[in-house]
Amino acid sequence: MSAPPDPTDRRRLHPLPRGLVELYGLIAVLMVLIPEWLADGTINIGQAGGPNTLPMRARAWRTLPELRLAAMSLKEMRQMASEMRLLQYGSQSRDQLTTRMLKRLRRRNAL
């Protein structure tokens, strides 16, 4: 049997050559930067044609019914369904209720 290692002995690691460490660093940076540049370029392609930007968040959340309903809790949605006089809203899931409310809102242009 071999003797257990002495904890006071410092284990010597073989250092990597400096050039290899720099190469690994360069590869790591390129693995991060190149996909970042590609993503940025892809996002900016659509904006080259003109100012086709998204509406301001505050205004969009007030005017788009899909966003308003997505931000509501189920309790708030059911209260709104009651005010809209939808029938059997209490037994419906969130998705079903959202679909019904969007149909009604589009029909009435109320939101």
Side-chain angles (χ1 to χ4, degrees), residues 47 49-53:
Q47 296 176 357
N52 188 8
T53 60

Side-chain angles (χ1 to χ4, degrees), residues 8 14 27 32 38 42 44 49 55 65 72-74 83 98 101 106 111:
T8 58
H14 298 288
I27 291 172
V32 172
L38 289 174
T42 304
N44 290 331
M72 288 182 178
S73 67
L74 187 57
E83 293 167 5
T98 301
M101 291 174 75
R106 285 188 183 119
L111 198 61

